[in-house]
């Protein structure tokens, strides 16, 4: 029996980049999974949690747990959202044993998309093509909380025609940080400009990453600066669904 996977459809994916969801479903089905997208799912609660509104976060967490606990796995195309479910949910219910047990059970079967493909399903290669030079962004949540770094590079290395060019300081924050970029715009902008400089040094025509918040942040900065780089979620490239405009709408041609 194929595993029954509930796709956690993130807020940013729904609002700004539904193509990431289509790519996620394609990759999961190619990996032998039966995918469902629950219609009554909500935000994971990360914005409320980061703002200190733990009551609101607990209400959202209960909804997510109830919706997804019947699946074999919960998979989402976002390191930050899945880190919230995996790491923060059990802490939220530290003083509520019944809900903590449910949160821990959900956390144990919840994964970021690319790490699920490689680490759980054993996927080593994908059937996709993307002619061009690509550099990979490591988001803070995915890297530091979930240990996601080698997994996307493994699968990107199997994409026909794709050349991977590593940027310097890839582990340094891009400046998004959720509400951080709103509270501290000057610092956020400086970090974004530093990251764009590292991207430019690679000569890559495309930037990919696993968190839409970071990608939207950098794509917006690139658009304002006129940088000729396309931005895609890693899943879009791996699924062969990166033929249209990049994130932010910039339709610049790929560079060799």
């Amino acid at each position: 029996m194929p595993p029954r996977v509930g796709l956690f459809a993130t807020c940013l994916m729904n609002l700004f980049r539904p193509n990431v969801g289509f790519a996620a479903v394609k990759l999961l089905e190619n990996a032998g999974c039966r995918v469902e997208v629950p219609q009554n799912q909500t935000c994971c609660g990360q914005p409320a949690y980061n703002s200190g509104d733990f009551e609101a976060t607990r209400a959202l967490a209960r909804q997510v747990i109830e919706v997804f606990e019947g699946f074999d796995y919960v998979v989402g195309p976002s390191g930050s959202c899945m880190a919230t479910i995996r790491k923060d949910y059990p802490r939220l219910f530290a003083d509520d044993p019944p809900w903590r047990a449910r949160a821990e059970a959900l956390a144990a079967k919840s994964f970021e998309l690319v790490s699920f493909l490689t680490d759980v399903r054993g996927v080593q290669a994908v059937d996709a093509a993307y002619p061009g030079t690509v550099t990979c962004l490591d988001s803070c949540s995915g890297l530091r909380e979930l240990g996601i770094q080698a997994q996307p590079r493994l699968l990107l290395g199997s994409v026909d025609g794709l050349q991977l060019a590593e940027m310097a300081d890839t582990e340094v924050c891009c400046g998004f940080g959720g509400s951080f970029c709103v509270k501290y715009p000057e610092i956020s902008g400086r970090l974004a400009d530093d990251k764009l400089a590292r991207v430019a040094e690679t000569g890559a025509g495309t930037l990919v990453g696993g968190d839409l918040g970071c990608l939207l942040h950098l794509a917006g900065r690139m658009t304002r600066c006129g940088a000729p780089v396309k931005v895609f979620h890693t899943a879009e490239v791996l699924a062969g669904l990166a033929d249209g405009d990049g994130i932010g709408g910039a339709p610049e041609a790929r560079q060799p």
Side-chain angles (χ1 to χ4, degrees), residues 4-10 13-14 18-28 34-42 64 67-68 71 73-78 82 85 111-113 116 235:
R4 181 169 171 250
V5 172
L7 179 67
F8 186 78
T10 72
M13 185 197 83
N14 276 335
N19 194 51
V20 174
F22 299 134
V25 170
K26 182 178 179 180
L27 290 167
L28 289 167
R34 181 161 59 96
V35 185
E36 298 177 35
V37 186
Q39 295 300 299
N40 54 342
Q41 62 180 291
T42 63
V64 171
V67 168
F68 283 101
F71 289 93
Y73 297 100
V74 182
V75 178
S78 166
M82 301 318 292
I85 295 172
F111 296 90
E112 183 273 339
L113 172 66
F116 176 77

Side-chain angles (χ1 to χ4, degrees), residues 86-246:
R86 285 179 60 88
K87 304 293 185 179
D88 298 330
Y89 277 16
R91 288 195 286 261
L92 275 170
F93 297 107
D95 298 326
D96 187 342
W99 275 103
R100 178 169 183 174
R102 294 173 72 175
E104 288 175 343
L106 188 72
K109 59 183 179 181
S110 297
F111 296 90
E112 183 273 339
L113 172 66
V114 178
S115 65
F116 176 77
L117 294 172
T118 58
D119 301 341
V120 178
R121 297 301 292 169
V123 176
Q124 300 292 303
V126 295
D127 182 13
Y130 189 86
T133 303
V134 172
T135 193
C136 191
L137 174 71
D138 293 316
S139 72
C140 294
S141 293
L143 177 64
R144 292 172 174 82
E145 295 191 77
L146 300 179
I148 299 168
Q149 188 173 47
Q151 300 94 325
R153 289 164 173 82
L154 170 67
L155 297 187
L156 288 167
S158 71
V159 176
D160 187 40
L162 186 150
Q163 298 295 318
L164 189 62
E166 292 288 1
M167 73 175 83
D169 300 328
T170 185
E171 75 284 355
V172 176
C173 178
C174 71
F176 174 61
S179 60
F180 176 88
C181 64
V182 178
K183 293 179 179 178
Y184 307 102
E186 294 83 4
I187 300 174
S188 175
R190 174 61 184 272
L191 289 169
D193 288 341
D194 288 347
K195 187 64 67 176
L196 296 193
R198 302 293 82 76
V199 172
E201 289 168 358
T202 69
T206 302
L207 172 69
V208 301
D211 270 284
L212 270 174
C214 302
L215 297 176
L216 286 163
H217 174 62
L218 292 178
R221 197 73 173 178
M222 287 179 180
T223 299
R224 291 190 292 275
C225 296
V229 177
K230 295 189 80 169
V231 180
F232 287 106
H233 192 285
T234 304
E236 295 178 284
V237 173
L238 296 179
L241 297 180
D243 292 330
D245 291 349

Side-chain angles (χ1 to χ4, degrees), residues 37-51:
V37 186
Q39 295 300 299
N40 54 342
Q41 62 180 291
T42 63
C43 172
C44 67
Q46 180 187 170
Y49 185 79
N50 291 342
S51 298

